[in-house]
Amino acid sequence: MAAAPPDRDRTPAAGAEAVGRRVRALREERGMSLSTLARSAGVGKATLSGLENGTRNPTLETLYAVTARLGVPLTAVLSAPAAAPTVSGAAVSATLLEVFTDTDATYELYRMRVVPGPGQLSPAHQPGVTEHVTVFAGVLRAGPVDAPLTAAAGGHLRWTSDVPHSYAAVGDEEVHASLLLRYPRR
């Protein structure tokens, strides 16, 4: 398993301490050691420790890897939706717009930007999670690493994201899209 990319910025952002407290609480509720979670998520133990202590700014990839191993949606560690948190990775920036639930699933709705250049690899989410992307501008290639899909403005993509998946802008235009993640309830 490849290690997750290093944190983009070691200076903690506002709210980093609260995210770290939530990660630690979820890890401890599950009886997992720091080492076990770091190893299973493919992140460095020092990175996870810094995240839990609120002294490091994790990338989107790191947060997804950790929350997938904890079996929770990303929003379980972010601040309240009213704060409209934005998380960024190597190519993707996503702003949380809403979290909603029904009897079968929890949903997270994001406004997403994908910058031109190298793409972004996202680790597998927990089993059964699906992603739904509607592209408003640009051309997006996204989906399972071994079978990516492509959509231009006005198009829609859907895939089961319990496998490693990627996002990349095709060409020189930034992609603007919505991203809906569906986390089935257990």
Side-chain angles (χ1 to χ4, degrees), residues 136-156:
F136 301 112
V139 178
L140 178 68
R141 181 173 298 120
V145 170
D146 58 354
L149 308 163
T150 302
H156 175 81

Side-chain angles (χ1 to χ4, degrees), residues 13 60 63 78-79 83-88 92-96 110-111 113:
L60 180 60
L63 286 175
L78 296 178
S79 58
T86 298
V87 289
S88 297
V92 174
S93 176
T95 301
L96 180 65
Y110 294 89
R111 180 177 50 243
R113 288 183 26 243

Side-chain angles (χ1 to χ4, degrees), residues 109-149:
L109 178 62
Y110 294 89
R111 180 177 50 243
M112 181 172 72
R113 288 183 26 243
V114 183
V115 296
Q120 176 172 318
L121 179 63
S122 186
H125 297 290
Q126 55 267 36
V129 173
T130 55
E131 295 193 25
H132 308 260
V133 178
T134 302
V135 178
F136 301 112
V139 178
L140 178 68
R141 181 173 298 120
V145 170
D146 58 354
L149 308 163

Side-chain angles (χ1 to χ4, degrees), residues 45-168:
K45 187 175 174 181
T47 297
L48 183 57
S49 177
L51 167 63
E52 286 192 358
N53 290 318
T55 61
R56 305 270 306 261
N57 250 355
T59 63
L60 180 60
E61 297 92 338
T62 299
L63 286 175
Y64 272 133
V66 169
T67 56
R69 295 306 170 251
L70 291 170
V72 298
L74 178 64
T75 53
V77 299
L78 296 178
S79 58
T86 298
V87 289
S88 297
V92 174
S93 176
T95 301
L96 180 65
L97 300 175
E98 186 173 355
V99 176
F100 48 99
T101 60
D102 65 23
T103 56
D104 298 330
T106 297
Y107 299 86
E108 297 174 348
L109 178 62
Y110 294 89
R111 180 177 50 243
M112 181 172 72
R113 288 183 26 243
V114 183
V115 296
Q120 176 172 318
L121 179 63
S122 186
H125 297 290
Q126 55 267 36
V129 173
T130 55
E131 295 193 25
H132 308 260
V133 178
T134 302
V135 178
F136 301 112
V139 178
L140 178 68
R141 181 173 298 120
V145 170
D146 58 354
L149 308 163
T150 302
H156 175 81
L157 304 174
R158 178 194 182 279
W159 68 90
T160 301
S161 55
D162 55 7
V163 297
H165 47 287
S166 62
Y167 305 86

